[in-house]
Amino acid sequence: MPNGQEHGGAYGYGVAPQQNPYGQGAYAPNPYAQPLPTPQQPYTPQQPYAPQQPYGAPHPAAAPHPAAAQQPSAPARFSAPPRPGGLPGPMPRRNRLVVLLQFLLQWIYAPLWILGLVVVFVVVILSDYSGGGPESDGWLRVNRSFIPPRRIRAELTGRPEDWERYVTPLLERRIAAAEATHAAGGGDVQLDLSRELSVGLAVRLYRGLGAAGVSRVAERLGWQGAPSGTDAERVRLVRRFPAPAGLIAPSPQDPPAAPGTPWGPQPGRFAPLLPVVFLLQIVYVPVYGLLTFWVNRPEPDYWERWGARWTVGPRAFRAEFTHSPAAWDRHVRRILKRDTTRELGRTADSYGRLLAPDGTFLRRVHLHRATYRGAGAHRALSIAAEQGWTLDPAYTPDPANSLRLCRPDHR
């Protein structure tokens, strides 16, 4: 059992997933409402943190469930949706003369197009803009009519093998970027606590290969094709990752984590410098955002992490300036109360596919590092446990950056 001196992680995604918490219909009480009996204390040094499952289903860290032997293996339970039938094949090849003309002329009209967009934006900024304009932003997408040199051969020959040579590295890059977001906490949570990632390709990128061919290439990378809805001009690829098999983290009832450890209080910033940062951030935050907005960030919470390092929140200013544990506790409680109120304002129907057949669902909140920096992730977890929040079993604990919490509710 970690005591806060070491980083909590997970056993990885290659082992059997935990029992589906939606398989039980009973609403479980708050696991932290009363002290746990000594004979049944689950937080022994040999076991990871195993918060009670919201609907009565046992956690893998607890005693094996009698029906565990009948559960399908991880690939069977958490495989991507079945490949849809009837994915369209290769489309007719475009006229070679038209392709050549477009390829030659684009080096002239593309720069002029970009220059025209700059002029339009300057005019809009300087004029009394009323907010009207085209409904579609297609006229902004210069890249949609641009043929990169790597694609010209495939466009001219129209052969599926040439298109596959072009699509494969493109697909590998996009899939790698998507999987990086999963490692950082991205992906859509499913009812069984797995998380699904999706990647889309426009038809101009795979015309001669077809959606079926793209799906075939994606299958070699562990992904599968999925219905793209009403958009026939795109192919959608998905991959589903199971929830972590175990949450290695300290119990909210454990002794406080040591300062400087991932679960303990983090070193405070130099107090006399905080007022300067507080004032200058009004200038450098928007400047940095404008200069780097075009950069593709694989981390879904990049700006929260950046803000925790380079900004000072008005609510957290007193806690950071004084380094007072009581001030940090008040700050954590204030932010948790705000997020809880916001989350409770959502109706059960708004959870859609995350609503179990018996009407149960999980409410979720997300505390960032800036909220509990001086108090420590373990202290924030203890405060949250008082209100029934536990670590979200759909995510690997990452106390150095954020706390993802959940709590059961019923329609």
Side-chain angles (χ1 to χ4, degrees):
M1 169 67 237
N3 61 359
Q5 308 297 323
E6 54 192 10
H7 191 340
Y11 294 125
Y13 297 111
V15 296
Q18 63 188 28
Q19 189 83 7
N20 181 0
Y22 296 94
Q24 304 287 340
Y27 181 94
N30 179 1
Y32 309 115
Q34 298 178 354
L36 293 173
T38 302
Q40 300 179 358
Q41 173 60 260
Y43 306 115
T44 61
Q46 290 79 25
Q47 292 181 324
Y49 169 50
Q52 179 176 341
Q53 293 302 294
Y55 309 115
H59 193 278
H65 192 275
Q70 286 77 32
Q71 293 298 326
S73 63
R77 291 186 64 200
F78 292 101
S79 58
R83 178 178 173 180
L87 285 177
M91 300 180 65
R93 185 184 66 193
R94 296 176 61 197
N95 184 279
R96 291 183 179 180
L97 180 59
V98 173
V99 171
L100 284 173
L101 286 175
Q102 180 180 347
F103 181 75
L104 295 174
L105 295 177
Q106 68 185 4
W107 305 102
I108 300 174
Y109 70 72
L112 294 177
W113 192 340
I114 296 173
L115 179 61
L117 291 177
V118 173
V119 173
V120 169
F121 281 121
V122 171
V123 171
V124 167
I125 292 174
L126 298 179
S127 63
D128 186 14
Y129 180 57
S130 61
E135 296 182 358
S136 172
D137 63 349
W139 59 284
L140 294 171
R141 311 282 184 169
V142 183
N143 61 308
R144 291 183 179 179
S145 62
F146 194 85
I147 303 177
R150 296 186 302 273
R151 198 171 81 212
I152 186 64
R153 177 182 176 86
E155 291 272 13
L156 291 175
T157 66
R159 292 197 296 262
E161 55 269 26
D162 291 334
W163 277 100
E164 184 169 341
R165 277 193 291 269
Y166 168 71
V167 169
T168 299
L170 174 65
L171 201 56
E172 289 175 347
R173 290 194 300 270
R174 296 200 179 188
I175 284 178
E179 291 179 349
T181 65
H182 172 268
D188 297 326
V189 179
Q190 306 298 304
L191 189 61
D192 57 7
L193 298 181
S194 63
R195 281 186 283 151
E196 184 180 273
L197 301 179
S198 63
V199 169
L201 287 182
V203 68
R204 69 179 185 276
L205 302 176
Y206 63 88
R207 179 186 304 277
L209 186 60
V214 174
S215 179
R216 184 177 63 252
V217 174
E219 286 173 359
R220 298 200 294 261
L221 303 173
W223 289 58
Q224 289 186 331
S228 57
T230 58
D231 191 354
E233 296 296 310
R234 295 182 67 83
V235 62
R236 181 171 173 265
L237 307 169
V238 299
R239 182 174 182 181
R240 188 170 294 181
F241 290 83
L247 304 182
I248 301 179
S251 163
Q253 298 155 337
D254 280 351
T261 61
W263 287 94
Q266 301 303 306
R269 291 183 281 188
F270 186 51
L273 188 61
L274 292 178
V276 179
V277 174
F278 184 77
L279 295 176
L280 291 182
Q281 68 187 8
I282 301 174
V283 176
Y284 67 73
V285 169
V287 170
Y288 180 76
L290 290 173
L291 293 178
T292 62
F293 75 93
W294 52 273
V295 178
N296 185 22
R297 310 288 186 185
E299 305 91 352
D301 57 350
Y302 169 81
W303 287 106
E304 286 79 8
R305 299 186 186 193
W306 184 87
R309 289 193 298 268
W310 301 106
T311 65
V312 181
R315 296 184 181 89
F317 183 84
R318 180 177 179 181
E320 282 214 68
F321 190 79
T322 61
H323 300 298
S324 166
W328 275 110
D329 274 16
R330 286 193 298 270
H331 178 60
V332 172
R333 294 180 188 278
R334 182 166 55 242
I335 297 301
L336 185 61
K337 179 181 178 181
R338 180 200 66 185
D339 293 351
T340 300
T341 302
R342 183 183 304 161
E343 179 66 17
L344 293 177
R346 295 182 58 186
T347 62
D349 292 334
S350 67
Y351 288 84
R353 55 182 172 73
L354 297 180
L355 187 66
D358 62 355
T360 55
F361 60 97
L362 287 176
R363 295 192 180 274
R364 289 181 163 90
V365 295
H366 187 185
L367 297 182
H368 300 292
R369 177 173 180 252
T371 301
Y372 57 80
R373 180 206 308 272
H378 181 251
R379 178 56 185 161
L381 181 63
S382 300
I383 294 174
E386 296 172 4
Q387 303 179 31
W389 295 100
T390 65
L391 288 176
D392 194 332
Y395 299 89
T396 301
D398 185 18
N401 293 298
S402 64
L403 279 181
R404 294 180 182 271
L405 307 171
C406 70
R407 137 176 141 178
D409 205 342
H410 195 278
R411 172 184 270 175

